[in-house]
């Protein structure tokens, strides 16, 4: 139904590198359940922060859904890197304390 892959990006930080839920299972709590499970595991392992990168809100409808999902989980806007990927895909970084 879904998956979530974490990548350590620093001594105290992990990143949700990729996450996906099959379309027929969207809006059924699968993504939120995956995230809540992983968040507990991250905390147990002693990390302090989780980050996620996506395309800045307002560029593409599909990424706007991703942004809204991240915000609904409690992530906060951290920084935008306009040219990290390329000028058509400005990178929005969200962060959360665990």
């Amino acid at each position: 139904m879904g998956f979530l892959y974490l990548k350590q990006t620093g001594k105290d930080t992990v990143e949700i590198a990729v996450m996906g839920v099959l379309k027929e299972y969207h809006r059924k709590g699968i993504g939120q359940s995956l995230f809540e499970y992983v968040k507990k595991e991250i905390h147990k392992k002693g990390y302090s922060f989780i980050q996620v990168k996506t395309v800045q809100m307002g560029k593409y409808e599909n990424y706007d859904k991703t942004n809204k999902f991240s915000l609904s989980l409690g992530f906060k806007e951290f920084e935008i890197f306009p040219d990290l990927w390329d000028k058509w895909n400005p990178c929005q970084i969200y962060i959360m304390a665990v």
Side-chain angles (χ1 to χ4, degrees):
M1 291 185 288
F3 68 96
L4 191 153
Y5 176 77
L6 296 172
K7 177 175 97 175
Q8 183 176 358
T9 56
K11 182 176 81 65
D12 296 308
T13 307
V14 293
E15 174 183 358
I16 298 175
V18 65
M19 179 179 183
V21 174
L22 292 171
K23 196 165 200 149
E24 60 264 29
Y25 293 101
H26 283 194
R27 307 202 54 80
K28 297 187 186 298
I30 305 297
Q32 184 173 356
S33 293
L34 278 169
F35 175 74
E36 291 301 326
Y37 172 80
V38 171
K39 183 178 173 186
K40 288 176 190 170
E41 293 301 310
I42 289 168
H43 181 72
K44 284 182 197 174
K45 292 183 189 259
Y47 291 102
S48 301
F49 302 99
I50 308 170
Q51 69 171 332
V52 65
K53 294 181 184 108
T54 189
V55 175
Q56 181 184 16
M57 185 83 81
K59 298 295 178 184
Y60 306 102
E61 185 179 340
N62 282 341
Y63 285 105
D64 286 355
K65 292 176 185 176
T66 301
N67 280 276
K68 290 174 185 174
F69 179 69
S70 296
L71 292 168
S72 76
L73 293 174
F75 281 92
K76 302 295 181 191
E77 291 183 20
F78 181 67
E79 189 168 0
I80 296 171
F81 289 95
D83 299 315
L84 181 67
W85 295 319
D86 60 49
K87 67 182 180 180
W88 299 279
N89 297 296
C91 175
Q92 171 70 62
I93 298 178
Y94 292 101
I95 194 162
M96 174 188 291
V98 195

